[in-house]
């Protein structure tokens, strides 16, 4: 007997044992229900049927597995509407129903019981199991309605639930600010009312807002700069779906997930849709990190509606997301947060943490409680909040975390639970310089390999073309301070010297080449003034695109030519050998230095005689 046969044999024994218990409990009924197929049988034939039914179910993957409660280990049906027999079977008397049911699951997993004191049953799933179709809990964060358990404080704060704000209000500022969790994560909004700065996308009269209210969520690609609220919007959708129970929410990160992880989620989504009639929303953070083959995995399942895909990316989806997947999703462009939106976000954070703004009254009841307690009173200058709002460059994550650092730095200077001489608690004041320290420096958004790289170099080029020296210097500074390679900028200046200035100032090209060589010699930061000098020179120089357009006309002439290109005239060819001279190469060529005046001679092929590329346009015949 093979190992698999032993498993079946053990299951048959357990099934017989349960059938015997069921037969002992049945007094007024003539039939007994099979716990595997939920059909009714007589008490005398149930044992024989269990042997056949268990052997069949061990090789049949179509039977839906029974779900396990995360708290008590009690096996419950996947959905109350899937099979009526499941509910009747779960309601049958007998204390050993929970462990026996775990043996009847169709997943090929090893079950190991814990101590009788716990009464919990856990299963370690094999990696090759194709029935359970579940993911390792460490690989994804699944939010399901009804899922509960004992969680620590950090998990309660990070979970997208409506209890988050209540939990935060019950804690002191010192406790919140000393936790090992960024403030931006603890204060992540759970409702659209707390979601600031993206009114154009999720405002009251927008299409997406109506779709979210009706729970008709389409596949989305959220595109925006860091800290603008892409992940937060996905968590709000998850929170809404969890409350209404209309969909399950699964989170994956493209930085760590593999194609197998995605396929497992899709298999699980297919089961949920088939058995529970419940949709699956799959959130992929940093979706641009997936390559083409990984993105192609989503195509058929997004097309048929198995999963609703929500992808978040900081890169332009036109370049980083497959066009086939892009056509199946709606792209939402989230803008950089304005200073006013950042002010609202920081104000909400200050009110939640119980911090008073200097010169204003208590923001909430927590401030009043601090007056009579031993916790220090924390104040912050309005100028400090304004400084964070301006310097974080629309990045809410950077703004909140810098506020956290500034307050933590000042709280570390005071001893906890200490009183001043008059018996009142200590006071902590966070000033503007403390806020600047939290940011370290002005937070400049610039991605050397992303779209902002091309946006800034385009702005620099167009500013120099328009002879606006101030704007040219500004965009140069944005690039260099953001960490751009100075040689890249210098190469673009060399190109500009010929493309936009050309023969209007022939010395512009030597200036640009010299600037490139100087940057190569000394590097940053000394070369920044060299680039600034070259940029101002090119911006002030007269402009001419005569050379640029003439060469474009040449390229258009070559590309639009029909048939084979005309050969080089014989008199323009070299004749280094006797044979070539006999063939007529170089015959009739007039050597210009040998003549005292202009030489009448054709240098173009016969088909192009008389053409002037400086005035010719591709539309000419």
């Amino acid at each position: 007997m093979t190992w698999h046969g032993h498993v079946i044999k053990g299951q048959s024994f357990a099934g017989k044992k349960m059938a015997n218990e069921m037969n002992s409990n049945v007094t007024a009924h003539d039939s007994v229900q099979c716990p595997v197929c939920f059909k009714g049988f007589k008490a005398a034939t149930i044992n024989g049927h269990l042997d056949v039914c268990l052997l069949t179910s061990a090789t049949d993957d179509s039977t839906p597995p029974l779900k396990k409660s995360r708290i008590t280990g009690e096996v419950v049906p996947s959905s109350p509407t899937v099979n009526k027999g499941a509910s009747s079977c779960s309601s049958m008397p007998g204390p050993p129903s929970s462990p026996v049911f775990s043996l009847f699951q169709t997943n090929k997993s090893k079950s190991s019981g814990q101590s009788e004191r716990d009464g919990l049953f856990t299963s370690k799933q094999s990696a090759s199991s194709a029935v359970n179709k579940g993911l390792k809990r460490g690989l994804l964060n699944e939010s399901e309605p009804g899922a509960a358990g004992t969680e620590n404080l950090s998990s309660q704060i990070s979970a997208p639930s409506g209890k988050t704000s209540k939990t935060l209000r019950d804690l002191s500022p010192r406790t919140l600010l000393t936790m090992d969790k960024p403030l931006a994560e603890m204060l992540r909004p759970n409702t659209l009312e707390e979601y600031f700065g993206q009114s154009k996308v999720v405002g009251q009269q927008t299409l997406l807002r109506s779709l979210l209210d009706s729970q008709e969520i389409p596949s989305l690609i959220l595109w925006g700069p860091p800290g603008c609220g892409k992940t937060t919007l996905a968590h709000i959708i998850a929170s809404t779906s969890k409350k209404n129970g209309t969909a399950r929410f699964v989170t994956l990160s493209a930085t760590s997930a593999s194609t197998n992880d995605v396929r497992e989620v899709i298999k699980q989504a297919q089961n949920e849709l088939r058995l529970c009639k419940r949709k699956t929303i799959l959130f992929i953070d940093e979706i641009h990190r997936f390559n083409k083959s990984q993105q192609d995995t989503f195509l058929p399942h997004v097309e048929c509606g198995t999963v609703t895909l929500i992808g978040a990316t900081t890169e332009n989806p036109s370049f980083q997301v497959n066009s086939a997947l892009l056509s199946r999703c709606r792209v939402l462009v989230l803008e950089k947060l304005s200073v006013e939106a950042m002010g609202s976000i920081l104000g909400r954070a200050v009110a939640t943490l119980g911090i008073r703004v200097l010169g204003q009254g208590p923001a909430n009841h927590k401030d009043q409680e601090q007056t009579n307690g031993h916790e220090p009173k924390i104040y912050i200058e309005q100028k400090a909040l304004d400084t964070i709002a301006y310097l974080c460059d629309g990045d809410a994550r950077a703004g909140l975390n810098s506020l956290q650092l500034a307050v933590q730095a000042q709280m570390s200077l005071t001893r906890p639970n200490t009183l001043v001489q008059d018996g009142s608690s200590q006071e902590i004041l966070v000033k503007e310089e403390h806020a600047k320290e939290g940011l370290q420096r002005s937070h400049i958004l610039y991605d050397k390999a992303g779209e902002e790289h091309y946006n800034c170099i385009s702005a620099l080029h167009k500013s120099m073309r328009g002879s606006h020296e101030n704007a040219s210097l500004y965009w140069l500074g944005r690039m260099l301070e953001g960490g751009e390679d100075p040689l890249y900028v210098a190469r673009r200046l060399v190109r500009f010297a010929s493309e936009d200035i050309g023969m209007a100032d022939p010395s512009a090209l030597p200036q640009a080449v010299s600037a490139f060589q100087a940057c190569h010699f000394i590097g940053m930061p000394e070369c920044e003034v060299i680039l600034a000098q070259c940029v101002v020179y090119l911006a002030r120089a007269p402009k001419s695109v005569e050379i640029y357009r003439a060469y474009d006309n040449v390229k258009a002439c070559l590309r639009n030519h029909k048939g084979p290109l005309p050969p080089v005239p014989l008199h323009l060819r070299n004749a280094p050998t006797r044979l070539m001279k006999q063939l007529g190469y170089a015959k009739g060529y007039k050597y210009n230095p040998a003549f005292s005046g202009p030489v009448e001679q054709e240098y173009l092929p016969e088909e192009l005689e008389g053409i002037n590329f400086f005035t010719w346009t591709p539309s000419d015949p």
Side-chain angles (χ1 to χ4, degrees):
M1 184 71 69
T2 62
W3 179 85
H4 183 69
H6 285 297
V7 174
I8 300 303
K9 184 177 179 180
Q11 289 181 344
S12 300
F13 175 75
K16 292 177 181 178
K17 182 179 178 181
M18 181 182 180
N20 292 333
E21 293 177 357
M22 293 167 63
N23 289 336
S24 62
N25 292 326
V26 177
T27 57
H29 300 282
D30 295 336
S31 64
V32 179
Q33 190 178 45
C34 174
V36 180
C37 64
F38 306 111
K39 296 180 180 179
F41 295 90
K42 292 183 179 181
T45 61
I46 184 65
N47 287 339
H49 166 74
L50 279 174
D51 291 335
V52 178
C53 193
L54 287 171
L55 286 172
T56 305
S57 63
T59 57
D60 184 11
D61 292 348
S62 61
T63 305
L66 295 177
K67 278 195 174 181
K68 238 186 232 183
S69 173
R70 297 181 184 176
I71 306 176
T72 62
E74 181 183 356
V75 179
V76 296
S78 298
S79 174
T81 60
V82 175
N83 197 319
K84 295 181 180 180
S87 60
S88 62
C89 198
S90 62
S91 62
M92 299 188 78
S97 61
S98 178
V100 173
F101 264 72
S102 64
L103 296 176
F104 292 145
Q105 294 186 23
T106 58
N107 57 338
K108 303 178 182 66
S109 59
K110 296 181 181 180
S111 299
S112 60
Q114 294 182 355
S115 63
E116 296 180 359
R117 176 187 59 188
D118 297 333
L120 300 178
F121 288 82
T122 58
S123 62
K124 183 177 181 182
Q125 186 180 12
S126 172
S128 60
S129 175
V131 180
N132 194 21
K133 298 179 176 61
L135 279 181
K136 295 179 181 179
R137 291 299 175 185
L139 291 179
L140 61 97
N141 176 20
E142 178 183 341
S143 302
E144 296 186 35
T150 304
E151 300 175 344
N152 55 24
L153 180 61
S154 299
S155 62
Q156 288 178 359
I157 291 176
S158 62
S161 64
K163 300 179 181 179
T164 302
S165 58
K166 182 178 179 181
T167 305
L168 291 176
R169 283 195 295 267
D170 295 338
L171 298 175
S172 65
R174 182 178 291 276
T175 304
L176 287 173
L177 293 170
T178 55
M179 293 179 62
D180 297 331
K181 206 168 200 49
L183 186 61
E185 182 66 23
M186 290 191 292
L187 299 182
R188 192 182 293 279
N190 296 313
T191 61
L192 289 175
E193 286 71 21
E194 300 173 344
Y195 187 67
F196 301 111
Q198 304 295 343
S199 57
K200 292 183 179 179
V201 177
V202 291
Q204 290 293 338
Q205 305 299 326
T206 58
L207 176 63
L208 180 62
R209 183 63 173 265
S210 60
L211 292 176
L212 292 177
D213 293 339
S214 63
Q215 289 299 302
E216 295 295 333
I217 303 169
S219 293
L220 304 172
I221 298 293
L222 306 177
W223 173 33
C228 68
K230 302 182 295 297
T231 306
T232 299
L233 181 57
H235 279 283
I236 291 175
I237 296 174
S239 179
T240 307
S241 303
K242 181 179 178 180
K243 289 178 181 177
N244 297 333
T246 56
R248 53 191 292 271
F249 191 86
V250 180
T251 299
L252 288 178
S253 177
T255 58
S256 57
S258 63
T259 307
N260 291 334
D261 298 333
V262 175
R263 288 172 178 164
E264 287 295 334
V265 172
I266 292 173
K267 288 179 182 178
Q268 198 174 18
Q270 290 171 339
N271 288 341
E272 289 284 342
L273 188 62
R274 184 178 71 252
L275 301 177
C276 305
K277 305 301 181 185
R278 190 168 58 150
K279 298 179 182 179
T280 297
I281 301 175
L282 176 58
F283 174 62
I284 303 293
D285 199 12
E286 306 292 339
I287 193 173
H288 62 274
R289 297 291 187 92
F290 275 155
N291 57 34
K292 185 178 185 300
S293 61
Q294 289 173 315
Q295 293 183 21
D296 287 341
T297 309
F298 299 108
L299 290 178
H301 309 288
V302 174
E303 178 74 24
C304 66
T306 302
V307 295
T308 299
L309 177 65
I310 300 179
T313 176
T314 57
E315 305 293 335
N316 192 331
S318 301
F319 305 125
Q320 303 296 335
V321 180
N322 292 351
S323 57
L325 181 60
L326 202 60
S327 66
R328 292 165 170 80
C329 302
R330 179 183 177 90
V331 178
L332 294 183
V333 182
L334 303 183
E335 299 176 347
K336 182 193 302 184
L337 294 176
S338 63
V339 176
E340 292 76 14
M342 280 302 309
S344 301
I345 294 172
L346 293 173
R348 173 177 172 267
V350 166
T352 305
L353 295 175
I355 301 175
R356 292 191 193 181
V357 179
L358 196 63
Q360 299 181 11
N364 52 33
H365 71 281
K366 186 185 293 187
D367 292 330
Q368 190 66 32
E369 291 173 358
Q370 285 183 357
T371 304
N372 300 324
H374 298 290
E375 286 289 334
K377 301 176 184 178
I378 304 176
Y379 294 89
I380 188 171
E381 293 180 345
Q382 182 63 46
K383 188 182 294 185
L385 293 176
D386 296 340
T387 299
I388 296 176
Y390 277 99
L391 293 184
C392 69
D393 197 37
D395 190 338
R397 186 183 296 107
L400 290 173
N401 292 341
S402 63
L403 173 65
Q404 182 182 19
L405 288 175
V407 177
Q408 283 178 342
Q410 298 307 306
M411 290 184 65
S412 63
L413 300 177
T414 62
R415 296 181 181 179
N417 300 326
T418 56
L419 301 176
V420 294
Q421 295 180 354
D422 58 356
S424 60
S425 58
Q426 291 183 333
E427 294 184 356
I428 298 175
L429 177 61
V430 180
K431 299 181 180 180
E432 182 182 10
E433 53 266 25
H434 303 149
K436 288 183 178 179
E437 245 180 89
L439 279 170
Q440 292 296 322
R441 66 181 183 90
S442 178
H443 185 76
I444 296 178
L445 173 64
Y446 187 79
D447 187 358
K448 292 191 292 183
E451 190 191 13
E452 200 66 16
H453 163 84
Y454 299 102
N455 290 342
C456 287
I457 194 62
S458 176
L460 173 61
H461 198 124
K462 291 178 172 63
S463 298
M464 292 190 299
R465 180 182 294 159
S467 300
H468 200 300
E469 56 193 48
N470 289 303
S472 302
L473 283 175
Y474 172 78
W475 295 117
L476 173 67
R478 276 279 292 267
M479 298 181 73
L480 295 181
E481 292 299 313
E484 183 58 80
D485 181 11
L487 293 181
Y488 168 77
V489 181
R491 286 193 295 270
R492 296 291 301 192
L493 297 182
V494 173
R495 163 73 180 188
F496 180 88
S498 288
E499 177 181 342
D500 285 271
I501 296 177
M503 298 308 297
D505 186 358
S507 61
L509 182 58
Q511 286 278 348
V513 173
S514 299
F516 175 83
Q517 292 175 339
C519 292
H520 181 70
F521 291 155
I522 64 175
M524 284 289 288
E526 286 80 3
C527 71
E528 59 188 12
V529 68
I530 298 172
L531 289 175
Q533 175 185 340
C534 185
V535 163
V536 172
Y537 180 92
L538 298 180
R540 292 178 177 179
K543 308 299 188 294
S544 172
V545 293
E546 184 181 20
I547 304 296
Y548 179 73
R549 288 180 177 175
Y551 188 71
D552 270 355
N553 290 337
V554 172
K555 292 190 294 185
C557 177
L558 293 173
R559 293 167 183 169
N560 297 338
H561 185 81
K562 296 179 181 180
L565 293 174
V568 177
L570 288 177
H571 68 280
L572 296 180
R573 303 183 188 184
N574 283 332
T577 65
R578 181 180 300 178
L579 176 60
M580 298 174 74
K581 291 180 180 178
Q582 292 174 355
L583 294 176
Y585 282 40
K587 183 178 181 180
Y589 172 67
K590 298 176 182 178
Y591 184 60
N592 298 76
F595 297 86
S596 58
V599 177
E600 291 293 333
Q601 187 171 222
E602 276 299 330
Y603 297 96
L604 284 171
E606 185 177 353
E607 294 88 337
L608 299 176
E609 288 183 2
I611 191 172
N612 184 355
F613 288 109
F614 290 92
T615 58
W616 178 83
T617 58
S619 60
D620 291 345

